[in-house]
Amino acid sequence: MAQPLKIAFAAAEMAPLVKIGGLADVAGALPRHLAAAGHDVRAFLPAYSSIAAGRAPVHPVEFIGTIPITLGTRTYQVTAKTTELPGTGFWIYLVDCPELFHRDRPYTDDPDEAQRFVVFSRAVLEFCQRMGWSPDVVHCNDWHTALIPVMLRANYAWDGLFRSTRTLLTLHNIAYQGGFPAAQLSQLGLAEHVRWLDQEDLRAGRINFLRSGLWLADAISAVSPTYAREIQGDELGMGLAPLLRERNERLVGILNGVDYQEWSPDTDRFLPYPYSISNLGGKRQNKRFVLEQLKLDPDPDAPLVGIISRLVPQKGLDLTFDVLPRALESTPLRLAVLGSGERRYEEFFSGLEQRFRGRVCFWRGFNEELAHLIEGAADMFLMPSRFEPCGLNQMYSLRYGTIPIVRRTGGLADSVEPWVPGRPNGTGIVFDHFDSAGLAWALGRALAGYRRPHEWRELMLRAMTRDFSWQRQSRQYVELYLRMMRL
Ligand code: ADP
């Protein structure tokens, strides 16, 4: 390797220890792939109570110890701990502060939500100081750690340790920006550093962690090239488009990778019948197994459609309100839905399950095993997102030969190649317009394709060969870090 880099990677979720969404998958995979490539990577995560209560042993890091972090009039004691990301051999640093992180969920609506992540971000830099370790890059992720570029100027500018440290802020989803009333400035220890914060926000009586971080980060990345373009437009920019357009020379898109150790049909520990390109037979057996487990009518010839999703407006499931009942009435399809979220979606899928007994299963909640089983069993995967920064399930689906039906947005557009019946290319069904007609057209095309087994099989095999591995994608981050160091 030309030059091993020192990378501090800070995130509020890290699979498999703490997972809410795609951020966890990235933070659980990218740092260790960079480390495996020879870089000195130190990853930081809050020590949520669920981690201490989990199966991974947690140890104190004696040489860092306990550090007081003062915000306004309050001082928080943070202690450095370490644990292995289970099953990976990669050790991470935990920022332990029970009064802030021992709650029943990683994210809360509690009045000190902003303090929680300010303390976490400060702790990342304080731990680096105690280690006497000068990172080339601090890689921040989403609003929780977006203030690190601000802190490096406001709180740590005096410390030569960070003189040549660069910051990268990765946007996993700009819908979540960390907005708080400006009245909290002094409680956050930011009152004397307001010149580093976004002034327009301040005039409006707010602080917005993401916006302030985006102004000062040396580089910005979004989790797919298409999303990087889309967020510069007013429709998906969520109020940040003008800023992102202004900083567009510092903004790149890098598609997330997939952890194929976790997500490969030939080695998947959850699949009763592993399968691969050279032996697809197991997929049909998994389908039979899953239909039985989910108490769905056992017709292995009827197409099985899967959905695994947070049930929130972003995921575009409003389109299914119209389309799925009609498709279930007019075709024999089976539907397996896994997810939880807003009530209206949960009620819709529960209603569908009642109405189409034996044909629809709605499993409400989070279930890692079932997510793998659905990927391994289903014929198609539905992801009609309104917007999708990257999306992982469509990439898992490709590897499992579970043909994705997606809308052309964000990472869906960058990872699924449109298939046109009769043509020897393409890996999934892609529709453009966010409306029921678009989804109905796409589902219709998939169901018609499924009735032509030879062509469908070719489509599956093409999908299964696509490579979105972290080995590949992490190289793009290294190139970006190197470019940043030349800034
Ligand atoms: P987002 O981050 O917007 O939720 P992504 O597709 O990027 O969407 O990542 C979602 C991740 O969470 C995937 O790994 C997916 O399998 C997983 N996931 C989502 N909902 C569930 C669920 N109910 N049970 C198990 N895994 C889920």
Side-chain angles (χ1 to χ4, degrees), residues 19 21-22 25 308-310 314-315 338-339 365-368 371 383 388 391-393 396:
K19 173 162 163 172
D25 295 86
I308 303 166
S309 185
R310 292 184 298 123
Q314 176 198 334
K315 300 296 174 179
L338 167 62
F366 194 91
N367 186 334
E368 185 77 16
M383 207 162 165
E388 194 60 74
L392 292 166
N393 269 304
Y396 303 156

Side-chain angles (χ1 to χ4, degrees), residues 273-276 278-287 457:
Y273 304 101
Y275 61 95
S276 63
S278 52
N279 178 12
L280 278 179
K283 185 155 179 77
R284 206 172 156 84
Q285 287 171 289
N286 288 323
K287 183 171 170 184
R457 190 186 145 84

Side-chain angles (χ1 to χ4, degrees), residues 146-227:
L147 286 188
I148 288 179
V150 173
M151 292 164 179
L152 281 170
R153 288 167 174 83
N155 307 89
Y156 301 95
W158 58 270
D159 192 344
L161 191 73
F162 300 118
R163 191 176 306 121
S164 42
T165 295
R166 302 280 190 262
T167 49
L168 169 64
L169 176 50
T170 295
L171 301 170
H172 299 260
N173 190 338
I174 62 165
Y176 306 98
Q177 301 184 1
F180 300 95
Q184 293 193 11
L185 276 171
S186 49
Q187 289 153 261
L188 297 175
L190 292 169
E192 62 272 41
H193 301 300
V194 287
R195 73 190 176 104
W196 298 111
L197 300 174
D198 183 86
Q199 299 301 305
E200 215 171 296
D201 272 336
L202 293 177
R203 278 193 292 276
R206 296 187 307 255
I207 350 170
N208 177 316
F209 280 37
L210 199 56
R211 194 195 301 271
S212 292
L214 285 170
W215 279 122
L216 295 182
D218 294 299
I220 303 165
S221 71
V223 288
S224 68
T226 298
Y227 191 58

